[in-house]
Amino acid sequence: MSAPNKSYDPVEVEALKPEEIERMRDEALAAFAAAGDLDELAQAKTAHTGGTSPLALANREIGALPPQAKADAGKRVGMARGAVNKALAARQAELEAERDARVLVEEAVDVTLPYDRVPAGARHPLTTFMERVEDVFVAMGYEVAEGPEVEAEWFNFDALNFEPDHPARAMQDTFFVAGPKKTESGVVLRTHTSPVQVRSMLDREPPLYVVCPGRVYRTDELDATHTPVFHQIELLAIDEGLTMADLKGTIEHMVHSLFGEGLTTRLRPNYFPFTEPSAELDMQCYVCRGESVGNPERPCRTCSSEGWIELGGCGMVNPRVLVAAGIDPERYSGFAFGFGIERMLMFRHNVEDMRDMVEGDVRFTRPFGMEI
Amino acid sequence: MRAPLSWLREYVDLPAGETGRDVQAKLVAAGLEVERVEQLGADLTGPLAVGKVLTIEELEGFRKPIRFCTVDVGTANGTGEPQEIVCGARNFAVGDKVVVALPGAVLPGDFAIAERKTYGRMSRGMICSGDELGMGDDGSHGIIVLPPEAEVGSDAVELLELRDEVLDIAVTPDRGYCLSMRGIARETATAYGLPLRDPALLDVPAPNSYGYPVSVADPAGCDRFTARTVTGLDPEARSPIWLQRRLQKAGMRPVSLAVDVTNYVMLELGQPLHAYDRSRVTGTIGVRRAEPGEKLTTLDGTKRVLDAEDLVITDDTGPIGLAGVMGGANTEIADAAEGGSTEVVIEAAHFDAVSIARTARRHKLSSEASKRFERGVDPQAASAAAQRTVDLLVLLAGGTPEAGVTEFAAPSAPRTIAVRADHPDKVAGVEYGRETVVRRLQEVGCDVYGQDELIVTVPSWRPDLTDPNDLAEEVIRLEGYESLPSTLPKPPAGRGPTARQRLHRRVGRALAGAGYVEALTYPFLGDWALDHLGLEADDPRRLTVRLLNPLSEAEPALRTTLLPGLFAALRRNDSRGEHDLALFETGLVFRPTGEELPAHRLPVDRRPTDEEIASLDAALPHQPRRAAVVLAGARERAGWWGPARPSSWADAVEAGRTVAREAGVELIVRQDQQAPFHPGRCAALLAVVDGEEVLVGNAGELHPRVIKAFGLPERTCAMEIELDRLEKAATGPVEAPRISTFPVATQDVALVVDASVPAGQVEAALRSGAGELLESLRLFDVFTGEQLGEGKKSLAYALRFRAADRTLTADEASAARDAAVAAAVERTGAVLRGA
């Protein structure tokens, strides 16, 4: 850097002449404007604003001027450098925007590409539907009870008022478990989830409100409408003063929760050893709401144009069952209801063949997802 | 039970226009399960006429015998000329009366009759068999030959009662009385509020001492026995058309007059009957229990060895019938071909339901008789049924009834039930009132006395009415289930699903979320599957629950592991073209100890004691719930993102961790060798329960032999884990971590160890050495190569250190890292790479 020199006449310093500074400024501005990309701008920046750029060098000369000339020159150089930096920043922003626009276009992808790298899993609709039904009753205050699938005959039959030689036992084609050397063991594969009701009555004190979901077994060969292994859900309520009207109201609530408001239900007398009175329960067909009956123009495949769908059996718990479970039938009464999950799934989701539900074909199960 | 509407009208004056569907609706509402209403003759159009065969010409030269007939059909054909008909059947002769379908007729199965040329002749109609008219099997498969009195030219549709409606009713076990027209008529009459003409109301002569001798040695097994004798039967007599038709419509086959009559009366009154050829019965008819080892050939031709519990009918020579189930061949009525029987002894008895049920089951012999006795027969109807049989035999076979009437009846009192008059109201939740209750019970056939407390005498045909609730049901069903209101009870507040139930749900969701698809497979298992799994002879999984009556002899046992079922599902999917598969199942396995004792039949008239309940539970195998997965093909499929990643043992182990995580359990994974897994690619999954490590499952790649045996895709992997054990390992609610906001200090280390040292061991050592400052540790690279030397591997870990209360200095972080490395060096022989 030159030392201050009071004898200098500023006009004598060539680099600080006003027209010279303007030229430097204009050259810088022109260079920036001419820069076609950020690299060229970077070079122009070094050339026109760097430590060896004309304006920087001119700036150094200011110190050598006499005081009164210093101010003028300083002002001129400062304004020029300000304008240069401003132009640089503007051009920088302009070029960056241009570059970004270009790069982002280059980086564009086809978002319609599939991404089935890990195909989605799913739970079986029998499982999720059973949970759905459980939830309806849990919301009403019921608890979920479970029990063994290999079960003592006493729980599966005797305690439920199936007398040993009564034809009712033969109604449920039973798998018998072999004792040692193929003797009778008194143990069966449960034919219904009702033994869980008995266990619940023995385990808990009334009032008692439980649902018993689970797998059950009967010796049917697998075909389009039968399976030896299937699922049931049963409910049991034991309390003081329960009536068939309570049973009906409870079932209606379930039907409305699962199939829609306003559907009517119908009880038909029937026979089960463990309930008395007993009934078969039908619900109005939720698809045609009865409009297909006697109307060949509008057949309904869900209810076979019957207008009604058979849901399951129900009734008032036979007081003999209460006695076997140690509950005073003079004080308590109860109702029970049970139905097959497969059947319900078949008409709720138009499953045409029972085998689809047992074979584990992923093409069947996947569309049902996680909830039903 | 099949009930023809025309027959039903004999007992109830139904409105003329009432159809089968109308009656069906009424009976269904009253609790009879009328499964369908069969429309007989609905698909049949006339003209169908009675004809008399005039000539028969045998046509020669055809592969089967063919006859050209002329038949007089009167004026039914409009001309009065004989009708020319070509016919292939041979069971008729000139002069026989037959049924002729004339051109224009349409027979069942849309079979239109037209004039046509066949076998070189014009055939103008058809001579019909019972099958062709939809009459059901009459056993002959031949042309119907009508009785001689049938009028030529008359309408055969009417004569044969071809048009009718039949109610097909599935009778529930409590309603034995509805296995008769009498019972169904009673329900119909009640449902319509019409009077019933009870066919059992007959004049019956009083019993006397000169009837056929009968001796009942077991009045508990047989509380009633009526015997009547009819002589002078015409052995040529045949059942009239109306009787045959009613039997056919009810689903039975006409056989011979005497047999048809007993069957007819059984259908009418519900009382099973038996007719013995008197000439073949020797001496007194007895009822007793069989001697063990005694033999009897029953009517079906089967020689049976009798059990000491079987109730038998005997004569002086020994057993002549299995009481209430089936008669013996030795006293069978002879049919016309054998010369026919001219004298019969008719048995109308009442047997103990349980005894009959056991005998029928023991001999695997369910008959129309046993079906009725098991469900309860009206003991008071026996005499009437015998009388009705006698009357019909006299009427139809020209017999003469003997005056002797044998009747044994064990003393019995009518059964009564005490019930409060408002009990039905309380059961239904409806106020019927005493008057309605009494009226309805009377309609059922009960005698009712009393005001608030009713004494109800139940009718003899309703053995099922034993309890107050049975009476309540009668009232409620007759008042109509459809009139019940709907109310909602108020259960006490519940606690929602249990921890076990919630775990089960979470596991399903987690596995499905990880891409697994749930399968619900059958739990049946064959020993072959256990062999295919490569289980040792003493493997506890070979100890199975076995079924006495499996559906398939190839699968007589219950699963002790979920894997074979999943293998089958995997294979099925694979064979159907899905190759990238991840399946899961949760369910019970059945693990007996082999020490289970038989489960006793506990009493039902009281609560069983805790010891009794425990004895039942001890008879059951252990039934834990498990989760399992199988994987094959690609875990991540190939695509524009890059190549596929095949599923591997690591995915199987990770599935175990996924399940354990839902239980709040951190799994310990160890190297293992366990069937059915690849010995070098098998992990033991352990969890800490009460301070001890417990095996909860296994995971890995399957043994190549297992893959081959089950026909699975190469490199199939699997995992099985016991949820009930995992649940025990759960550590309870998560303790919320304290989050430090001070900066993290990251240190990477690479350790060289022997290839045989498990990474899990190295990691455990690092963790223990690193101390409290270690926030996390992650293995980010495993490397083997020449520069490491033979049998060595390098494990590269990223360690992150952080303190809760300060920024760590470089020295502190390094010291912690050095301590971690030192522990690994000491415990695993690791060498710090690059050191």
Side-chain angles (χ1 to χ4, degrees):
Chain A
M1 186 190 271
S2 310
N5 183 349
K6 291 173 184 159
S7 63
Y8 269 35
D9 179 347
V11 293
E12 295 300 317
V13 180
E14 188 69 22
L16 290 175
K17 285 182 181 162
E19 55 275 20
E20 197 55 21
I21 288 170
E22 274 172 29
R23 188 186 56 80
M24 291 176 203
R25 181 196 68 195
D26 292 345
E27 274 178 9
L29 295 185
F32 293 160
D37 59 30
L38 287 166
D39 284 343
E40 287 177 25
L41 185 64
Q43 284 171 21
K45 179 184 173 187
T46 310
H48 295 281
T49 68
T52 57
S53 63
L55 272 171
L57 295 176
N59 196 45
R60 272 190 220 159
E61 300 299 330
I62 292 172
L65 296 181
Q68 75 277 17
K70 245 185 203 172
D72 277 357
K75 194 176 169 189
R76 272 198 300 276
V77 172
M79 279 177 66
R81 293 182 85 184
V84 166
N85 282 333
K86 194 175 162 194
L88 173 66
R91 184 63 181 151
Q92 178 84 22
E94 206 173 284
L95 287 175
E96 277 179 6
E98 268 175 33
R99 177 203 62 187
D100 287 354
R102 194 176 59 247
V103 167
L104 292 186
V105 166
E106 281 165 7
E107 283 179 0
V109 296
D110 177 1
V111 297
T112 68
L113 285 174
Y115 198 71
D116 52 353
R117 196 167 187 163
V118 180
R123 303 171 74 206
H124 200 283
L126 288 172
T127 311
T128 48
F129 190 62
M130 210 145 50
E131 287 177 6
R132 179 81 193 275
V133 182
E134 287 169 22
D135 290 346
V136 169
F137 286 105
V138 165
M140 293 169 81
Y142 286 66
E143 295 192 346
V144 182
E146 296 169 292
E149 292 174 14
V150 175
E151 182 60 289
E153 274 189 64
W154 188 84
F155 280 112
N156 195 73
F157 288 127
D158 300 65
L160 291 160
N161 193 38
F162 284 83
E163 285 171 30
D165 293 291
H166 197 273
R169 270 203 198 201
M171 283 164 70
Q172 304 194 343
D173 302 317
T174 309
F175 283 108
F176 293 94
V177 168
K181 293 176 188 156
K182 292 212 164 187
T183 53
E184 285 188 15
S185 60
V187 175
V188 298
L189 303 194
R190 66 179 181 195
T191 56
H192 44 192
T193 50
S194 312
V196 184
Q197 298 190 9
V198 179
R199 287 179 176 277
S200 301
M201 286 189 272
L202 290 170
D203 285 350
R204 308 166 191 219
E205 292 289 321
L208 172 71
Y209 290 81
V210 292
V211 275
C212 316
R215 266 189 155 191
V216 301
Y217 302 84
R218 303 215 186 148
T219 57
D220 289 320
E221 296 281 352
L222 174 65
D223 63 24
T225 53
H226 295 87
T227 162
V229 183
F230 57 103
H231 298 77
Q232 275 191 340
I233 191 160
E234 295 193 331
L235 72 94
L236 171 72
I238 308 280
D239 207 338
E240 291 181 24
L242 291 182
T243 66
M244 284 184 87
D246 291 327
L247 165 64
K248 197 173 179 204
T250 302
I251 290 169
E252 271 174 11
H253 178 78
M254 180 198 77
V255 166
H256 294 166
S257 304
L258 294 174
F259 293 95
E261 293 298 326
L263 290 167
T264 54
T265 59
R266 173 176 86 170
L267 294 176
R268 285 180 286 125
N270 203 329
Y271 167 77
F272 307 106
F274 38 93
T275 48
E276 188 72 35
S278 303
E280 197 72 37
L281 177 91
D282 301 334
M283 64 175 247
Q284 191 182 33
C285 177
Y286 71 101
V287 176
C288 73
R289 298 211 171 212
E291 286 185 15
S292 66
V293 181
N295 186 357
E297 306 284 299
R298 289 191 50 191
C300 177
R301 65 175 182 167
T302 302
C303 66
S304 311
S305 301
E306 294 281 336
W308 295 95
I309 298 170
E310 197 173 305
L311 273 189
C314 61
M316 301 305 291
V317 178
N318 194 314
R320 288 171 187 246
V321 174
L322 297 180
V323 169
I327 293 175
D328 179 5
E330 295 296 320
R331 181 172 170 198
Y332 293 103
S333 60
F335 59 76
F337 171 49
F339 58 84
I341 300 290
E342 275 81 358
R343 242 190 70 73
M344 220 150 168
L345 201 67
M346 282 179 102
F347 67 72
R348 192 174 187 261
H349 294 273
N350 278 322
V351 183
E352 286 191 347
D353 196 316
M354 187 70 83
R355 286 169 285 220
D356 292 340
M357 287 185 280
V358 309
E359 286 182 338
D361 193 313
V362 296
R363 292 168 302 167
F364 174 80
T365 305
R366 270 207 183 106
F368 288 98
M370 300 290 254
E371 295 283 340
I372 197 162
Chain B
M1 178 76 192
R2 292 164 53 87
L5 192 60
S6 59
W7 196 354
L8 199 54
R9 286 180 182 275
E10 198 170 292
Y11 314 115
V12 188
D13 288 326
L14 291 171
E18 209 69 358
T19 66
R21 291 282 289 190
D22 298 334
V23 179
Q24 176 187 34
K26 287 274 195 185
L27 290 181
V28 165
L32 284 186
E33 201 176 324
V34 185
E35 290 188 320
R36 63 203 181 105
V37 180
E38 211 171 291
Q39 306 289 334
L40 296 185
D43 49 358
L44 180 147
T45 328
L48 224 56
V50 174
K52 183 179 177 181
V53 181
L54 297 175
T55 63
I56 297 176
E57 180 192 342
E58 300 286 345
L59 301 183
E60 305 294 334
F62 299 106
R63 262 192 294 178
K64 57 179 187 172
I66 296 294
R67 298 164 131 192
F68 177 70
C69 311
T70 57
V71 185
D72 176 9
V73 293
T75 56
N77 56 3
T79 64
E81 293 296 314
Q83 199 75 9
E84 298 174 333
I85 297 170
V86 174
C87 180
R90 312 196 57 76
N91 66 318
F92 61 96
V94 170
D96 277 352
K97 300 276 178 69
V98 294
V99 179
V100 177
L102 295 167
V106 181
L107 302 188
D110 226 1
F111 181 16
I113 304 298
E115 293 192 6
R116 64 193 179 105
K117 190 154 187 184
T118 179
Y119 296 101
R121 303 292 179 97
M122 276 311 286
S123 184
R124 300 187 166 86
M126 186 169 89
I127 303 176
C128 303
S129 71
D131 286 347
E132 284 156 350
L133 297 179
M135 289 166 59
D137 178 20
D138 66 352
S140 69
H141 297 291
I143 292 304
I144 303 168
V145 178
L146 298 168
E149 60 272 20
E151 196 182 323
V152 168
S154 62
D155 180 11
V157 174
E158 205 170 303
L159 179 74
L160 295 174
E161 299 173 30
L162 293 177
R163 291 221 175 83
D164 203 348
E165 294 188 89
V166 178
L167 307 174
D168 194 350
I169 304 173
V171 177
T172 51
D174 61 326
R175 299 269 184 108
Y177 70 103
C178 283
L179 290 171
S180 69
M181 291 305 298
R182 181 194 184 209
I184 292 166
R186 184 182 303 281
E187 288 295 336
T188 309
T190 310
Y192 278 89
L194 291 168
L196 169 75
R197 274 191 296 280
D198 186 348
L201 287 180
L202 294 177
D203 283 335
V204 180
N208 51 46
S209 57
Y210 41 94
Y212 198 94
V214 170
S215 158
V216 176
D218 191 334
C222 172
D223 59 6
R224 190 172 283 262
F225 198 111
T226 298
R228 298 289 297 274
T229 307
V230 183
T231 59
L233 299 174
D234 173 6
E236 297 290 313
R238 296 200 313 169
S239 300
I241 291 173
W242 64 264
L243 195 153
Q244 292 199 27
R245 289 297 294 139
R246 284 194 172 175
L247 290 179
Q248 283 176 333
K249 288 176 190 175
M252 293 188 87
R253 219 179 76 181
V255 180
S256 67
L257 179 60
V259 172
D260 291 352
V261 165
T262 54
N263 282 337
Y264 180 81
V265 176
M266 176 182 71
L267 290 174
E268 186 178 48
L269 300 178
Q271 168 70 53
L273 297 138
H274 192 70
Y276 301 92
D277 185 330
R278 190 166 84 169
S279 67
R280 302 172 75 175
V281 181
T282 315
T284 301
I285 291 180
V287 184
R288 61 165 167 83
R289 299 287 165 176
E291 310 281 344
E294 241 177 339
K295 294 186 178 65
L296 171 71
T297 303
T298 42
L299 282 175
D300 59 355
T302 308
K303 190 168 186 177
R304 299 175 188 276
V305 179
L306 304 179
D307 184 273
E309 275 194 29
D310 289 335
L311 201 60
V312 289
I313 311 296
T314 60
D315 68 1
D316 291 354
T317 66
I320 58 171
L322 209 43
V325 181
M326 192 171 276
N330 48 2
T331 55
E332 189 182 357
I333 299 281
D335 62 25
E338 301 163 325
S341 295
T342 57
E343 300 177 345
V344 296
V345 179
I346 297 147
E347 164 205 309
H350 186 257
F351 301 108
D352 174 54
V354 169
S355 173
I356 300 300
R358 286 189 183 161
T359 293
R361 211 173 51 208
R362 190 177 297 124
H363 294 286
K364 296 191 170 58
L365 181 60
S366 175
S367 64
E368 291 290 330
S370 70
K371 214 167 75 185
R372 286 175 171 79
F373 281 121
E374 280 180 47
R375 288 163 173 77
V377 165
D378 180 1
Q380 305 287 355
S383 309
Q387 183 63 44
R388 179 82 167 125
T389 310
V390 169
D391 291 347
L392 285 171
L393 287 175
V394 169
L395 179 73
L396 303 174
T400 309
E402 284 197 352
V405 176
T406 305
E407 194 166 297
F408 162 80
S412 66
R415 284 180 308 108
T416 60
I417 304 169
V419 59
R420 290 191 58 81
D422 65 353
H423 185 66
D425 300 18
K426 288 193 165 153
V427 171
V430 177
E431 280 191 29
Y432 296 120
R434 180 186 173 283
E435 205 175 307
T436 303
V437 168
V438 170
R439 178 170 53 84
R440 288 302 190 184
L441 290 177
Q442 284 168 340
E443 281 174 2
V444 170
C446 297
D447 285 329
V448 187
Y449 300 97
Q451 276 303 314
D452 293 346
E453 182 86 4
L454 303 177
I455 303 298
V456 180
T457 306
V458 301
S460 56
W461 60 84
R462 294 297 303 268
D464 60 305
L465 302 181
T466 57
D467 294 0
N469 269 37
D470 298 329
L471 300 180
E473 181 180 67
E474 294 300 308
V475 173
I476 299 165
R477 79 176 171 94
L478 293 179
E479 281 295 299
Y481 276 16
E482 68 277 6
S483 64
L484 290 170
S486 293
T487 52
L488 272 179
K490 292 188 176 56
R495 278 162 294 189
T498 62
R500 180 176 192 258
Q501 290 156 358
R502 282 183 288 124
L503 171 62
H504 186 205
R505 288 185 176 199
R506 282 201 308 277
V507 165
R509 289 201 193 108
L511 288 173
Y516 291 85
V517 178
E518 186 173 20
L520 295 170
T521 71
Y522 286 176
F524 305 120
L525 188 74
D527 291 329
W528 57 269
L530 301 170
D531 295 339
H532 285 179
L533 287 173
L535 304 186
E536 299 287 339
D538 60 351
D539 191 299
R541 283 171 286 181
R542 282 193 179 272
L543 199 56
T544 54
V545 171
R546 309 195 78 88
L547 300 175
L548 276 177
N549 55 334
L551 276 185
S552 156
E553 290 301 332
E555 294 183 326
L558 296 186
R559 65 188 178 195
T560 52
T561 152
L562 298 178
L563 294 180
L566 279 175
F567 291 166
L570 184 82
R571 210 175 100 144
R572 186 175 297 124
N573 276 289
D574 188 61
S575 72
R576 289 176 180 178
E578 292 280 326
H579 306 301
D580 302 327
L581 291 161
L583 305 179
F584 83 99
E585 177 165 16
T586 59
L588 303 192
V589 296
F590 306 92
R591 305 295 297 266
T593 60
E595 306 292 314
E596 289 83 6
L597 295 172
H600 293 294
R601 183 155 287 155
L602 302 183
V604 294
D605 55 354
R606 59 167 172 81
R607 184 190 207 278
T609 63
D610 291 348
E611 292 73 36
E612 285 171 329
I613 295 171
S615 81
L616 292 188
D617 285 338
L620 304 179
H622 185 44
Q623 302 174 48
R625 183 179 277 154
R626 290 190 174 176
V629 307
V630 290
L631 301 115
R635 182 78 169 112
E636 290 173 22
R637 297 197 283 194
W640 55 266
W641 52 81
R645 183 177 72 71
S647 57
S648 75
W649 60 270
D651 293 300
V653 174
E654 182 56 19
R657 288 200 182 93
T658 302
V659 171
R661 206 174 293 130
E662 295 305 319
V665 174
E666 182 126 5
L667 278 189
I668 301 159
V669 178
R670 295 247 166 81
Q671 204 77 29
D672 199 3
Q673 291 194 0
Q674 180 73 258
F677 294 100
H678 184 308
R681 297 181 172 187
C682 171
L685 310 178
L686 303 107
V688 177
V689 179
D690 299 331
E692 284 191 34
E693 285 185 5
V694 176
L695 183 73
V696 292
N698 282 100
E701 186 179 309
L702 293 174
H703 196 293
R705 275 205 303 271
V706 173
I707 288 173
K708 192 164 172 235
F710 281 96
L712 301 175
E714 273 182 24
R715 303 274 176 205
T716 296
C717 297
M719 183 283 297
E720 183 167 28
I721 194 164
E722 193 149 313
L723 295 181
D724 290 345
R725 278 194 204 160
L726 263 187
E727 198 196 336
K728 289 197 192 105
T731 47
V734 170
E735 182 102 2
R738 303 284 173 270
I739 302 300
S740 166
T741 51
F742 289 95
V744 67
T746 305
Q747 299 266 349
D748 292 351
V749 295
L751 298 170
V752 178
V753 291
D754 282 346
S756 62
V757 174
Q761 218 169 314
V762 177
E763 182 178 323
L766 285 171
R767 275 186 194 284
S768 69
E772 279 186 354
L773 294 177
L774 183 71
E775 182 179 79
S776 71
L777 172 160
R778 186 169 178 273
L779 176 68
F780 65 88
D781 193 24
V782 179
F783 172 74
T784 53
E786 273 175 30
Q787 59 269 54
L788 293 176
E790 184 88 355
K792 297 278 182 191
K793 65 183 170 190
S794 164
L795 305 172
Y797 289 92
L799 288 71
R800 289 158 60 89
F801 296 100
R802 188 163 3 216
D805 54 352
R806 65 189 187 282
T807 299
L808 290 180
T809 64
D811 286 350
E812 281 178 304
S814 298
R817 180 201 61 193
D818 292 346
V821 170
V825 168
E826 189 194 324
R827 294 203 209 161
T828 66
V831 174
L832 187 63
R833 201 165 165 215

